[in-house]
Amino acid sequence: MQPIIQLAIDVTDNQRAGFLMDCALRAGADWIEVGNPLNKFEGVHAIDFLSRRHPEAYLLVDFMILAGAKRYVTAARERGARNVTVTGLCPDITVRETIEEGKRQNVAVTVDLFNVPNPVESAVKYEAMGADYIMVHFGVDQKRENPGASPLQALQAVRQAVKTPLSFAVYDAEEALRAVENGADVIVVGEPLLSAPDPEQAMRAFIETVRGGRK
């Protein structure tokens, strides 16, 4: 099966986010991520803004929940989002309550393994809790510090340990193709596509390459 393409709208204002959402959907993206920077700068109003702009779009809200899960899951559902993230860096009770609240409100939950000490052990634990998706994530700061680094080995190890669908953050199409080969079900991409001179063209080229597979 082809991977889901999740376009992360990691910008800081709604107008730019709306433009990039338009580009992403025209280019063929499956999911739109209301990025964490957008949440921080525009608040939950960003979810409203994007949901009204394209009511049919699948929205994932990158809340990276740390505590008080119910209010975030509720805010996402009320504004038309279908998926939220919770960070694996928070206490287990918070991850568990986010997953349970998601099931009560019919909102999928992605548990983000960003910077967790043991991704495999954590993934097994979150699968047992009932996570809908688990994300293997190498952050933008980590990428900037180590441009040649990639957590593909971690993805491989997590894929062998769990059956839960896996998300994987990438920075180019080659990395995305390798991620699919190593078990990624959802490919998450933002930069450098967001700041390309022609974002729609860059997004379309990325999506077509990943969906076309390795030649």
Side-chain angles (χ1 to χ4, degrees), residues 111-124 134-139 142 149-169 175 178-185:
V111 184
D112 194 329
L113 303 182
F114 171 69
N115 213 38
V116 300
N118 190 324
V120 173
E121 181 181 300
S122 297
V124 170
I134 294 171
M135 184 176 185
V136 179
H137 186 182
F138 195 62
Q142 293 166 301
S150 171
L152 284 165
Q153 286 184 326
L155 172 65
Q156 222 175 25
V158 171
R159 177 74 291 162
Q160 291 170 1
V162 301
K163 295 180 180 178
T164 301
L166 299 182
S167 300
F168 189 80
E175 187 179 24
R178 293 171 64 199
V180 173
E181 290 172 355
N182 284 279
D185 302 286

Side-chain angles (χ1 to χ4, degrees), residues 80-179:
R82 305 189 210 177
N83 198 324
V84 297
T85 66
V86 58
T87 174
L89 297 174
C90 70
D92 283 352
I93 185 173
T94 304
V95 178
R96 185 165 55 250
E97 288 184 349
T98 304
I99 293 168
E100 291 172 353
E101 194 60 42
K103 293 190 186 310
R104 277 193 289 270
Q105 299 201 40
N106 196 31
V107 174
V109 172
T110 297
V111 184
D112 194 329
L113 303 182
F114 171 69
N115 213 38
V116 300
N118 190 324
V120 173
E121 181 181 300
S122 297
V124 170
K125 176 172 61 178
Y126 300 139
E127 179 171 72
M129 289 183 187
D132 298 289
Y133 298 89
I134 294 171
M135 184 176 185
V136 179
H137 186 182
F138 195 62
V140 65
D141 293 341
Q142 293 166 301
K143 188 70 173 178
R144 189 171 64 250
E145 185 178 42
N146 298 293
S150 171
L152 284 165
Q153 286 184 326
L155 172 65
Q156 222 175 25
V158 171
R159 177 74 291 162
Q160 291 170 1
V162 301
K163 295 180 180 178
T164 301
L166 299 182
S167 300
F168 189 80
V170 304
Y171 295 89
D172 58 52
E174 176 62 25
E175 187 179 24
L177 289 169
R178 293 171 64 199

